[in-house]
Amino acid sequence: LELVKFAPKEILISDDLYRNFRKNNILEDFAKIFTPLSNSKFRIDYACSKLRAFFGLEKIDVLKGFSNAHLTICGIIADYLF
C-alpha cells in the first residue's frame, strides 16, 4: 500500500468516507490516525472561503493556477490548523 511509505501521523478524512471505511473494514491499520471532519469542509466553496479569510483575499482569483482539488486540500488544512 502506497500510504505506508509516507508513514502519516494523521489523515484528515470526510465523515462519509470514514464511515464507509469503518463499515467495510478498509484500511483498518490506519483507523487510529484518521481524523474525520464534516463533509461540508470538503466542498470547494467552503475551502475557498477559508483560504480567502486565511490570506485576507477579497477574491480567490489570485490562486487561479491551482486546481479545485488543490484549493480544497489547502482550505481543509487551513481550516484545521487555524
Side-chain angles (χ1 to χ4, degrees):
L1 185 63
E2 292 290 318
L3 196 54
V4 174
K5 287 197 262 186
F6 296 103
K9 301 292 183 210
E10 182 174 26
I11 298 173
L12 305 178
I13 188 172
S14 71
D15 283 333
D16 283 349
L17 193 55
Y18 180 75
R19 278 193 295 275
N20 184 42
F21 281 2
R22 298 293 290 180
K23 177 181 159 188
N24 295 304
N25 297 321
I26 299 170
L27 299 174
E28 284 185 33
D29 295 339
F30 293 97
K32 62 185 174 286
I33 62 172
F34 286 147
T35 299
L37 301 174
S38 169
N39 294 322
S40 64
K41 293 180 185 279
F42 289 78
R43 291 187 2 232
I44 184 66
D45 57 328
Y46 181 86
C48 284
S49 72
K50 290 300 171 181
L51 289 173
R52 279 194 305 273
F54 181 76
F55 289 111
L57 303 171
E58 282 188 38
K59 297 181 179 181
I60 204 73
D61 296 350
V62 296
L63 301 175
K64 64 183 172 188
F66 295 96
S67 71
N68 283 353
H70 289 124
L71 292 172
T72 301
I73 291 166
C74 290
I76 292 166
I77 293 170
D79 181 59
Y80 182 71
L81 294 177
F82 304 98

